[in-house]
Amino acid sequence: MQTMRIGATLLPACLCLLAVTTAGAQDKPAERYIYATYSYCDFSKQDRADEIFNQVDKPLLDAAMKDGSITLYNYLKHQTGGQWRRVSVHGAGTIQGLLDAQKKMGDQIDANEKSRKLSAEASAICPSHDDYIWRAVAGNVGTAKRGGSSFSTYYVCDQRRESQADAVVKSMIAPVFDKMVADGKLLSWGWLEHIVGGKYRRLETLSAVDERALLEARTALVEALNDNPAGDIVTDICPEHADYIWDIVAQAP
């Protein structure tokens, strides 16, 4: 069966045991989970994969937004960074919601001969990928519209101390990010924790109107955090990282 490139490989059914429902307490914000598929692609043909995304995947994602199956989606193109070339993202309030939406859209592709063939072509262009499920710990990512450019830092962390890093981000770094959003220098930011996936345990992501604004904002952030001890604490807990700049070419809301 040809599966959808958004989370192209369905995760085992046992992941259902990880499902977390939207918080019941009235004063607690809704949970935000994100499924991201990071693809390795043939450089010479990756633009064709983008065309297929617009023909096949985007209409299904728009429909899933409309019927409430998902709460967001993004499609990102590599600008600067490592070997990942494209990222397909969709969000929901639970892990089970992510998987249900993925299966629904994959079944819709399988049921349409043209879509199935185009999806197979795209899979040949981007033949391998890494799947991650992230949960938003801090920031407005998943609730705010992102800009045209994103800076993402993927961290390898000491798993015994990750909660300490989260607490430091929420108490000491979040106010700096929030002020930059309020000032219009950033449109969104997020600190996300690993739920399922590879070696990266935390993700810090920022977005701005365009690449120039993004880099200016990041320079301002480095200066603002220069005397903030939180940066050293997080670096001590998460000493290894990979940076990417992405062009956000499709998104909702």
Side-chain angles (χ1 to χ4, degrees):
M1 181 180 73
Q2 179 62 40
T3 54
M4 192 176 187
R5 292 182 299 110
I6 306 170
T9 302
L10 294 177
L11 296 181
C14 62
L15 279 180
C16 298
L17 297 176
L18 295 171
V20 178
T21 58
T22 300
Q26 293 298 318
D27 59 346
K28 189 175 180 180
E31 295 277 15
R32 288 168 286 156
Y33 290 92
I34 291 173
Y35 196 122
T37 296
Y38 301 90
S39 296
Y40 303 88
C41 306
D42 182 336
F43 288 21
S44 67
K45 299 178 180 178
Q46 60 190 10
D47 289 347
R48 173 57 181 159
D50 300 339
E51 293 175 358
I52 294 172
F53 169 83
N54 285 322
Q55 287 180 258
V56 176
D57 303 88
K58 189 175 185 302
L60 296 178
L61 289 162
D62 287 332
M65 284 291 297
K66 187 174 181 179
D67 68 22
S69 299
I70 61 174
T71 57
L72 66 93
Y73 74 79
N74 292 168
Y75 184 69
L76 294 79
K77 294 170 58 173
H78 176 282
Q79 205 281 337
T80 301
Q83 296 183 358
W84 290 332
R85 301 302 300 179
R86 296 294 186 270
V87 190
S88 297
V89 172
H90 68 281
T94 65
I95 295 173
Q96 190 62 56
L98 292 177
L99 300 179
D100 289 345
Q102 179 192 45
K103 184 178 186 305
K104 178 181 177 180
M105 291 184 285
D107 289 346
Q108 289 172 321
I109 288 176
D110 288 339
N112 182 293
E113 183 178 1
K114 181 179 178 181
S115 294
R116 189 168 63 249
K117 289 180 178 179
L118 287 171
S119 186
E121 180 185 352
S123 294
I125 295 170
C126 301
S128 62
H129 63 273
D130 297 319
D131 288 324
Y132 278 78
I133 293 178
W134 303 102
R135 185 183 76 89
V137 173
N140 65 350
V141 67
T143 63
K145 185 175 178 63
R146 307 181 79 190
S149 188
S150 171
F151 196 108
S152 295
T153 301
Y154 303 87
Y155 290 97
V156 178
C157 306
D158 179 348
Q159 296 184 37
R160 299 166 299 177
R161 302 170 63 199
E162 290 171 338
S163 60
Q164 181 185 354
D166 296 342
V168 167
V169 169
K170 288 190 283 187
S171 63
M172 301 174 69
I173 298 178
V176 179
F177 287 142
D178 288 339
K179 185 178 188 306
M180 296 200 72
V181 171
D183 292 343
K185 295 178 181 178
L186 290 174
L187 293 182
S188 70
W189 76 276
W191 178 259
L192 298 93
E193 69 170 335
H194 170 283
I195 300 296
V196 174
K199 68 177 183 177
Y200 296 117
R201 301 293 303 177
R202 290 298 185 271
L203 165 59
E204 177 188 282
T205 183
L206 318 170
S207 77
V209 174
D210 54 29
E211 183 182 332
R212 179 184 295 274
L214 179 69
L215 295 178
E216 289 176 351
R218 191 165 189 276
T219 298
L221 278 168
V222 170
E223 294 175 355
L225 295 171
N226 189 45
D227 297 323
N228 189 328
D232 290 336
I233 297 172
V234 172
T235 299
D236 182 58
I237 298 170
C238 303
E240 180 185 342
H241 69 271
D243 292 327
Y244 280 78
I245 298 175
W246 300 106
D247 292 330
I248 304 174
V249 295
Q251 65 174 303

